[in-house]
Amino acid sequence: AVETGLWIAYASFETKGDNETESYQQFANQNWDVYQYGGWLKREGFAGSTGIDLNADPNTLHAQINECERQSGFSHTLPAYGSQQYYELIGKYQTFVSGWKDADLGYLTRNNFQTYQSPMFVSYSYDRQQANDYYDKATTSLTLVLLNHLLSAADGAWSVSMFNKDLKIKTGVHMESKYSVNGEKKMIPVAN
């Protein structure tokens, strides 16, 4: 019963985590813009930002932004679009806050971006953490399933040990008289 409950909990939390992940990724796809982020880097004059061409295709722009981030000494560079790291970093590090659609670009500068948080950035961070919490609960459920297996094995070993403690084995050899195929009576050794 415990194991069944734990497997149900695992499946439930894993599904909730998947649903929340899909939801926050869709939110990011609709509300975080690489062109807005690149434009902000260029406007604020970060090192290497002169190489950012806002008319470039997304892949070229991404490479140009990464070069700017490296030259500016940012702690992280923008990961490839759609990767797990992409979705994590745009909602985790202040470096990427200017890419959110509701970022106040009139207020946001290179001097205050480290402390600025837009409502979308905060909401997205919360949703991403919620998905991670569901996955953590699923992992805990799976860990408890394994622990239940170990406890069951220990209980089985203990039960067998207790049962076998009451068994007694008596060994010995004695002679019995038996009749042969020819009808002769013979004494033969018998082990028990």
Side-chain angles (χ1 to χ4, degrees), residues 35 42 49-57 60-61 64:
Y35 285 92
K42 193 171 182 77
S49 64
T50 54
I52 294 176
D53 177 6
L54 296 174
N55 295 314
D57 65 272
T60 302
L61 178 62
Q64 294 167 348

Side-chain angles (χ1 to χ4, degrees), residues 33-46 49 52 54 65 68 74 94-99 103-114 116:
D33 184 19
V34 68
Y35 285 92
Q36 181 173 311
Y37 174 61
W40 179 78
L41 292 171
K42 193 171 182 77
R43 185 193 83 195
E44 290 300 311
F46 283 96
S49 64
I52 294 176
L54 296 174
I65 286 172
C68 173
F74 287 5
Q94 294 297 128
T95 307
F96 307 108
V97 73
S98 63
D104 183 356
L105 298 180
Y107 169 77
L108 190 60
T109 68
R110 68 184 300 146
N111 298 323
N112 66 1
F113 78 94
Q114 293 290 351
Y116 178 80

Side-chain angles (χ1 to χ4, degrees), residues 13-14 129-142:
F13 287 128
E14 193 72 17
Q129 184 58 50
Q130 183 67 39
N132 287 339
D133 290 346
Y134 285 137
Y135 287 132
D136 288 344
K137 289 176 183 176
T139 300
T140 299
S141 297
L142 194 56

Side-chain angles (χ1 to χ4, degrees), residues 4-18 138 141-142:
T4 299
L6 290 170
W7 278 114
I8 290 170
Y10 170 77
S12 173
F13 287 128
E14 193 72 17
T15 300
K16 286 179 180 181
D18 290 345
S141 297
L142 194 56

Side-chain angles (χ1 to χ4, degrees), residues 78-181:
L78 183 65
Y81 173 77
S83 68
Q84 183 274 331
Q85 284 292 302
Y86 168 83
Y87 289 112
E88 180 179 343
L89 297 190
I90 63 171
K92 188 174 184 180
Y93 293 105
Q94 294 297 128
T95 307
F96 307 108
V97 73
S98 63
W100 289 99
K101 282 187 179 177
D102 69 339
D104 183 356
L105 298 180
Y107 169 77
L108 190 60
T109 68
R110 68 184 300 146
N111 298 323
N112 66 1
F113 78 94
Q114 293 290 351
T115 57
Y116 178 80
Q117 293 185 346
S118 76
M120 283 184 174
F121 176 85
V122 172
S123 174
Y124 177 80
S125 298
Y126 174 79
D127 292 343
R128 199 178 61 74
Q129 184 58 50
Q130 183 67 39
N132 287 339
D133 290 346
Y134 285 137
Y135 287 132
D136 288 344
K137 289 176 183 176
T139 300
T140 299
S141 297
L142 194 56
T143 301
L144 290 173
V145 165
L146 294 174
L147 183 61
N148 185 49
H149 278 235
L150 290 173
L151 290 174
S152 295
D155 179 57
W158 179 77
S159 296
V160 167
S161 173
M162 294 305 290
F163 177 78
N164 287 343
K165 209 183 333 181
D166 293 336
L167 294 179
K168 294 187 172 126
I169 299 174
K170 293 182 180 178
T171 60
V173 177
H174 66 276
M175 299 298 285
E176 289 185 9
S177 71
K178 300 281 182 178
Y179 288 98
S180 69
V181 191

